[in-house]
Amino acid sequence: CVWCVCVGNPAPVVYWTRGSDRITSSKPETVTLTITNASVPDSGDYVCHADNDLGRIENGTKIVVITQLTFDERPSPTYEAALSETIVLHCTSSLAPGYPGPVAEWSYPQCSKSSSRRTVRSVKN
């Protein structure tokens, strides 16, 4: 949760907004913003506002929901190909780009000295 404390006379109305949506409103001088079961769409800029008859103040914060990546499509554990044949491996995640942004990397065992050249190409979407 994130809290906002504002003091004034007359007592201010304190509330949070996200974009143009007003999230909370109350008379107390402290308003707590609580996001239950936070998910990636809850990430964003939130602003605490305090209004009374003498004026208005506001202060903002950025909330970032960090997620663990999961795969939608995984490559098969084994592939067979003829010499010089191109092999295309697909690996996708529905949370990409996510936050923090994912880093995709392919790795394979060290080639023996007698092996021919190996090329690994990575494509970012």
Side-chain angles (χ1 to χ4, degrees):
C1 64
V2 181
W3 48 270
C4 180
V5 179
C6 299
V7 178
N9 189 6
V13 173
V14 182
Y15 59 95
W16 286 93
T17 59
R18 180 174 181 208
S20 61
D21 297 329
R22 190 170 176 150
I23 301 170
T24 60
S25 180
S26 67
K27 274 289 186 188
E29 296 168 342
T30 302
V31 174
T32 302
L33 173 64
T34 302
I35 300 173
T36 306
N37 297 319
S39 61
V40 174
D42 294 316
S43 295
D45 295 319
Y46 292 78
V47 179
C48 177
H49 305 266
D51 299 335
N52 70 11
D53 294 338
L54 300 175
R56 176 181 194 176
I57 60 170
E58 56 186 48
N59 193 18
T61 189
K62 179 185 263 327
I63 294 178
V64 178
V65 178
I66 299 173
T67 60
Q68 180 176 358
L69 290 175
T70 58
F71 289 108
D72 293 332
E73 179 184 359
R74 292 177 182 245
S76 174
T78 59
Y79 285 87
E80 291 184 17
L83 187 62
S84 298
E85 184 178 351
T86 298
I87 301 171
V88 178
L89 307 176
H90 296 280
C91 181
T92 61
S93 170
S94 61
L95 291 180
Y99 189 89
V103 175
E105 182 177 283
W106 291 98
S107 61
Y108 54 91
Q110 186 69 21
C111 299
S112 68
K113 291 181 181 178
S114 61
S115 295
S116 61
R117 184 183 75 184
R118 307 272 175 140
T119 303
V120 175
R121 291 186 182 150
S122 178
V123 177
K124 255 187 188 178
N125 290 337

